[in-house]
């Protein structure tokens, strides 16, 4: 618990606490919005050296819903392709 | 022919240019009206797709036929388990999602709060209902559902209400007393019909989280899309059979379930627009027809003025076909000039109309390929009809009579 100087908790107050269940430091992670899920597998679209987009299977680890840890399938420095949002026609 | 035409134009500047203008005006009428029709149709389709693209929204109902010893008037309600059952039995279905809705919790961020329809769904829902995340965010994904994560996608107006112009993605809000992380905000979209609430004011969370948190026993509804438009009706029959077997109602009892087939509406509106555009085309072509009558008039006069010339040409060996071709070509030339002028005017006019602040409802007028083809066909018909009759008169002249006049 962090000490908050001067603040007092009185009856009827409410407080929010964050409980850290798991944490990772210095791991490879990407924005989770770039991950496609299909039948329990995760995929990302990688821009290859030739400039062509290529779909790749990855293994994911911990996620906070915004960023997701990548365990296998990607190397640091590779660039991912984010498709533009779909248009309604 | 060209030189003759130019000479004619010089000789009768006012007469010829007025005729050209008549055709130009007719062309503008046809093109602009059709472009307007196409724009309106596209926009309406888009507004329809704001609710969903070719989807069926399935609600529970009440039986109206006694069945296997059960009386009529029994309510049939949809359960979470019905979704996997339907997905498995009705093979015509491509996507399916349950939809839980509750309004029992407030959505809060600081002092700002709202009571939207809190909607529990699976990822396929976003595809079907065209809920597309703005750049930098995402819709609910499979992992959210599998892990019952407390994540939410906000409708764009709800996001503005809670966050103003700040980015909401990654921030926390409270649903009742439970914190949720915002993973996406919906792109603003046009939506002309809805159930419960417009998507812009709603909040979407994983179906599993919704069930765990609010414990709704029944689904508000199920949303699905058949593999193709043709299979929609077959799928509907199979849904009746599947749920009829499970809930013990007569599969021919139409009121036991409620179906909202959005593609049916769209088809009906499509038919309405065919009639609409045909009407526009007819109105436009009347204007063009008036222009065509002008051309025919002018050509009759030209033929009369040049009767002697025709007589001489025939006398020195020109055939009837030669004369016919000469006058037909001249008429076509007038129409061609008018049409070119008309098209240029229309392009300008359409661009100007597109800038008006009426786009949201009537859309931007569009000169689509079909508009071009329809106009060209009409123009060709008018030009041919207007040119052929005077040209035939000219060709039919007796050379002797023509010379004598």
């Amino acid at each position: 618990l962090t000490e908050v100087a001067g603040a007092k908790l009185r009856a009827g107050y409410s407080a929010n606490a964050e409980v850290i269940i798991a944490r990772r430091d210095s791991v490879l992670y990407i924005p989770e919005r770039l991950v496609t899920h299909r039948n329990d597998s995760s995929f990302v679209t990688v821009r290859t050296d030739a400039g062509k987009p290529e779909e790749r299977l990855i293994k994911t680890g911990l996620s906070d819903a915004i960023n997701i840890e990548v365990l296998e399938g990607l190397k640091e420095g590779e660039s991912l392709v984010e498709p533009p949002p779909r248009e309604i026609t | 022919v060209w030189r003759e035409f130019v000479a004619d134009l010089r000789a009768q500047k006012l007469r010829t240019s007025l005729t050209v203008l008549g055709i130009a005006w007719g062309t503008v009428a046809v093109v602009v009206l059709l472009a307007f029709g196409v724009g309106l149709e596209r926009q309406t389709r888009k507004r329809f797709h704001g609710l969903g693209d070719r989807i069926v929204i399935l609600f529970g109902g009440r039986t109206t036929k006694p069945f296997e010893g059960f009386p009529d008037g029994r309510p049939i309600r949809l359960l979470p388990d019905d979704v996997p059952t339907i997905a498995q039995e009705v093979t015509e279905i491509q996507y399916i999602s349950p939809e839980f809705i509750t309004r029992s919790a407030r959505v809060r961020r600081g002092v700002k709060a709202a009571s939207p329809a809190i909607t529990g769904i699976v990822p396929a829902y976003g595809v079907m209902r065209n809920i597309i995340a703005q750049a930098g965010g995402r819709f609910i994904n499979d992992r959210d559902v599998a892990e019952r994560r407390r994540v939410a996608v906000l409708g764009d107006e709800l996001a503005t209400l809670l966050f103003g112009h700040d980015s909401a993605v990654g921030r926390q809000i409270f649903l009742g007393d439970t914190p949720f992380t915002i993973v996406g905000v919906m792109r603003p979209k046009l939506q002309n019909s809805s159930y419960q609430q417009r998507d812009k004011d709603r909040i979407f969370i994983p179906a599993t989280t919704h069930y765990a948190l609010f414990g709704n026993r029944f689904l508000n509804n199920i949303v699905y899309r058949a593999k193709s438009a043709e299979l929609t009706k077959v799928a509907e029959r199979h849904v009746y059979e599947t749920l009829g077997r499970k809930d013990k109602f007569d599969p021919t009892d139409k009121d036991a379930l409620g179906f909202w087939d959005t593609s049916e509406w769209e088809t009906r509106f499509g038919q309405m627009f065919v009639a609409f555009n045909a009407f526009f085309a007819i109105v436009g072509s009347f204007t063009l027809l008036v222009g065509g009558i002008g051309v025919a008039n002018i050509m009759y006069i030209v033929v009369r003025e040049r009767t002697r010339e025709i007589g001489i040409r025939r006398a020195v060996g020109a055939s009837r076909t030669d004369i016919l071709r000469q006058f037909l070509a001249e008429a076509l030339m007038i129409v061609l000039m008018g049409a070119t002028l008309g098209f240029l005017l229309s392009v300008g006019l359409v661009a100007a109309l597109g800038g008006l602040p009426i786009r949201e409802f009537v859309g931007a007028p569009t000169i689509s390929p079909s508009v071009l083809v329809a106009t060209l066909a009409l123009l060709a018909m008018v030009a041919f009809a207007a040119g052929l009759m005077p040209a035939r008169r000219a060709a039919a002249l007796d050379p002797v009579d023509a010379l004598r006049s």
Side-chain angles (χ1 to χ4, degrees):
Chain A
L1 284 174
T2 38
E3 204 57 53
V4 188
K8 283 200 175 80
L9 200 58
R10 295 195 168 92
Y13 278 17
S14 68
N16 301 317
E18 283 189 7
V19 181
I20 296 166
I21 308 165
R23 88 186 304 157
R24 298 276 192 284
D25 280 317
S26 317
V27 293
L28 181 66
Y29 71 92
I30 57 171
E32 186 165 333
R33 64 172 193 275
L34 303 179
V35 180
T36 319
H37 300 264
R38 254 193 332 263
N39 311 323
D40 296 329
S41 305
S42 307
F43 300 89
V44 287
T45 309
V46 182
R47 194 186 303 283
T48 56
D49 295 332
K52 270 200 193 149
E54 171 200 274
E55 191 167 69
R56 198 183 296 170
L57 177 78
I58 56 166
K59 239 181 114 181
T60 57
L62 213 57
S63 164
D64 65 354
I66 302 293
N67 293 310
I68 189 163
E69 182 190 1
V70 180
L71 298 176
E72 275 171 38
L74 272 183
K75 281 194 302 288
E76 198 180 336
E78 284 183 300
S79 47
L80 299 179
V81 182
E82 180 169 21
R86 197 160 53 88
E87 292 291 339
I88 304 174
T89 49
Chain B
V1 179
W2 176 248
R3 212 175 297 148
E4 266 174 40
F5 173 69
V6 173
D8 220 47
L9 192 76
R10 282 234 180 91
Q12 301 288 346
K13 265 185 203 138
L14 186 67
R15 190 177 78 183
T16 315
S17 50
L18 277 178
T19 314
V20 167
L21 214 63
I23 290 292
W25 186 241
T27 311
V28 169
V30 173
V31 173
V32 171
L33 280 174
L34 284 179
F36 182 76
V38 168
L40 187 63
E41 182 174 0
R42 285 196 186 163
Q43 189 70 358
T44 307
R45 220 167 266 282
K46 213 169 173 176
R47 288 161 66 82
F48 263 111
H49 291 167
L51 176 68
D53 201 341
R54 200 165 56 71
I55 58 167
V56 177
I57 304 159
L58 168 63
F59 295 94
R62 193 175 277 275
T63 61
T64 51
K65 293 178 183 172
F67 187 68
E68 289 185 357
F70 289 107
D72 58 1
R74 252 180 337 125
I76 302 296
R77 306 197 63 178
L78 300 174
L79 293 164
D81 282 348
D82 292 343
V83 175
T85 311
I86 294 174
Q88 200 182 357
E89 304 266 322
V90 186
T91 50
E92 294 84 10
I93 286 179
Q94 181 191 18
Y95 294 119
I96 187 164
S97 170
E99 182 164 1
F100 288 105
I101 293 179
T102 185
R103 283 173 178 274
S104 64
R106 295 190 30 99
V107 172
R108 285 186 297 119
R109 173 179 176 258
V111 291
K112 292 179 182 142
S115 299
I118 301 169
T119 309
I121 41 80
V122 299
Y125 185 87
V127 179
M128 290 187 285
R129 294 272 278 87
N130 273 331
I131 297 162
I132 304 160
Q134 291 176 17
R138 62 176 178 87
F139 194 66
I140 303 295
N141 66 25
D142 284 338
R143 189 163 169 170
D144 295 330
V145 175
E147 296 178 2
R148 275 184 290 174
R149 291 204 279 199
R150 289 184 303 273
V151 293
V153 172
L154 295 179
D156 50 309
E157 296 219 338
L158 182 60
T160 310
L161 176 82
L162 296 174
F163 290 92
H165 294 290
D166 299 345
S167 165
V169 175
R171 312 280 288 276
Q172 283 209 333
I173 54 165
F174 282 92
L175 259 75
D177 294 323
T178 315
F180 273 71
T181 305
I182 309 291
V183 293
V185 175
M186 188 181 85
R187 288 186 92 189
K189 67 174 178 180
L190 297 168
Q191 187 183 352
N192 63 358
S193 53
S194 65
Y195 46 99
Q196 288 282 339
Q197 199 172 20
R198 296 275 195 251
D199 294 341
K200 61 186 182 191
D201 295 317
R202 284 167 80 162
I203 177 168
F204 302 93
I205 63 173
T208 46
T209 314
H210 197 288
Y211 188 68
L213 203 58
F214 302 107
N216 289 29
R217 207 176 135 204
F218 301 111
L219 298 177
N220 190 77
N221 57 278
I222 290 171
V223 178
Y224 69 78
R225 181 194 282 173
K227 280 174 183 154
S228 71
E230 298 74 45
L231 288 173
T232 308
K233 281 290 150 215
V234 188
E236 187 176 313
R237 206 180 61 234
H238 286 167
V239 170
Y240 271 116
E241 285 165 6
T242 305
L243 290 183
R245 216 164 26 242
K246 195 201 119 236
D247 291 331
K248 303 272 183 293
F249 65 78
D250 189 333
T252 63
D253 189 351
K254 292 292 166 209
D255 292 315
L257 299 170
F259 283 86
W260 182 1
D261 181 353
T262 63
S263 62
E264 207 172 287
W265 275 92
E266 209 182 309
T267 313
R268 247 180 255 168
F269 265 81
Q271 287 162 351
M272 199 189 89
F273 271 107
V274 169
F276 223 62
N277 284 340
F279 173 75
F280 277 153
I282 288 169
V283 170
S285 50
F286 272 123
T287 319
L288 198 54
L289 204 66
V290 173
I293 290 170
V295 173
N297 258 327
I298 290 293
M299 288 315 293
Y300 273 122
I301 293 169
V302 169
V303 169
R304 179 151 343 130
E305 279 174 354
R306 288 160 62 176
T307 310
R308 275 183 88 81
E309 182 199 321
I310 295 165
I312 293 165
R313 288 196 64 191
R314 291 296 310 279
V316 297
S319 68
R320 280 176 193 279
T321 328
D322 289 333
I323 304 292
L324 187 85
R325 209 176 282 152
Q326 178 195 344
F327 285 95
L328 198 58
E330 193 168 329
L332 290 184
M333 205 76 86
I334 293 177
V335 173
L336 195 71
M337 265 185 77
T340 314
L341 190 65
F343 265 116
L344 291 177
L345 280 173
S346 313
V347 170
L349 205 59
V350 160
L353 278 174
L356 289 181
I358 50 168
R359 266 186 93 143
E360 187 181 335
F361 295 101
V362 294
T366 314
I367 303 183
S368 68
S370 58
V371 170
L372 278 181
V373 169
T375 316
L376 286 179
L378 275 171
L379 273 168
M381 259 158 59
V382 165
F384 206 66
L388 195 61
M389 284 186 294
R392 277 175 65 144
R393 155 93 59 99
L397 281 173
D398 184 33
V400 180
D401 287 339
L403 275 172
R404 202 179 282 149
S405 71

